[in-house]
Amino acid sequence: MSSTHTERPAHDNQQAAAAHQFGQLVDAVDKARAIAKEIEPKVWHFASSADAYSAADRGQVGDRDILVVESEGVVGFVAIIRTVAITDRHGAFHPYSHLPKPAREFCGGDYASSVEQAEQIAIDLGYALADPRAAETARIATGKPVPMEIPRLLIEPGDILFTFGARLRVVDTGTRIDAESGRSEWWARVEGVTEEDSRRTYRGQWGFAVSVETAAWDVVTVERVLPNASA
């Protein structure tokens, strides 16, 4: 009885072994990253942002850990060994603007949980966030006014209007026909938000008006409390 045996080049076996080893390496890396994601980042408090930066540089705090420096109003997270601020104040940390994309999307979203926790800590401490979208979301969630630009005709009672070099709370607004000129005008009754705003304008409530034609194209800056969609 005869049998047929086909010899295979040695390099085929070497390539197969290399491919198998590479597959094992990829699996190990994926498992390690999955485990790392499940580990809650630690929160560290430092006396200064320079101290926090040095601790990250020496590996004394871990990747994805959160750093809080209340003396400077800075909160950030560790990206490998770099300290990145999520607050508008950054001290010795890398400014948020240095990230190539929003922090939640950085490195495929690996730092999203750290960023969310860091932002919540910053909000609780009353610090402003560096990410404009996150800052707006935080203001809405906490019932704080959100700055926006709108046509003057769309101003509503309760808005805070930036005009005359002051911040003025809009008490009432509308349109009317001026008795003397017969022209349509937009009007508002306002009051200063703070004592300083009142000193810059008038004590108590006061009013002003502009023509409807002007109000139709005039874009102004206001702060408005927006409804919280998640509530």
Side-chain angles (χ1 to χ4, degrees):
M1 178 179 289
S2 63
S3 63
T4 302
H5 176 70
T6 303
E7 295 288 341
R8 294 186 179 275
H11 66 79
D12 280 0
N13 293 331
Q14 292 173 352
Q15 289 176 348
H20 179 67
Q21 290 175 352
F22 179 73
Q24 289 181 320
L25 177 62
V26 171
D27 288 342
V29 171
D30 286 344
K31 288 178 181 178
R33 295 183 70 180
I35 292 172
K37 286 183 179 181
E38 293 176 358
I39 299 174
E40 286 295 321
K42 295 180 180 179
V43 179
W44 302 84
H45 292 260
F46 289 90
S48 72
S49 57
D51 289 343
Y53 183 96
S54 297
D57 193 46
R58 295 192 300 267
Q60 294 175 340
V61 295
D63 183 36
R64 299 172 61 249
D65 281 356
I66 296 163
L67 312 174
V68 181
V69 186
E70 294 189 47
S71 63
E72 299 177 30
V74 175
V75 178
F77 66 97
V78 181
I80 305 177
I81 61 170
R82 287 192 173 188
T83 55
V84 181
I86 55 87
T87 48
D88 60 350
R89 295 183 179 182
H90 56 82
F93 293 5
H94 292 276
Y96 183 89
S97 59
H98 285 190
L99 289 176
K101 58 180 61 179
R104 283 179 172 79
E105 302 170 16
F106 185 60
C107 287
D110 285 351
Y111 294 90
S113 61
S114 296
V115 172
E116 291 172 3
Q117 188 174 346
E119 286 179 347
Q120 187 57 56
I121 291 172
I123 291 169
D124 292 342
L125 291 172
Y127 303 159
L129 301 180
D131 183 347
R133 290 184 298 177
E136 181 172 313
T137 300
R139 293 184 71 87
I140 293 172
T142 55
K144 296 179 179 178
V146 176
M148 62 178 65
E149 292 187 342
I150 60 173
R152 186 181 292 272
L153 283 175
L154 297 183
I155 293 176
E156 300 175 354
D159 286 348
I160 295 174
L161 174 64
F162 291 71
T163 189
F164 299 110
R167 296 169 69 244
L168 305 175
R169 182 174 289 103
V170 179
V171 179
D172 200 4
T173 185
T175 57
R176 65 192 177 196
I177 303 296
D178 180 64
E180 295 183 3
S181 66
R183 298 183 62 182
S184 298
E185 60 182 19
W186 172 91
W187 61 271
R189 190 165 73 254
V190 298
E191 60 184 4
V193 174
T194 66
E195 185 68 21
E196 178 61 25
D197 294 321
S198 296
R199 282 199 298 266
R200 291 181 180 181
T201 52
Y202 298 96
R203 302 283 183 179
Q205 295 184 8
W206 58 284
F208 65 96
V210 300
S211 69
V212 169
E213 290 83 358
T214 299
W217 59 261
D218 188 20
V219 175
V220 297
T221 300
V222 302
E223 289 181 353
R224 177 179 295 176
V225 176
L226 300 177
N228 185 1
S230 62

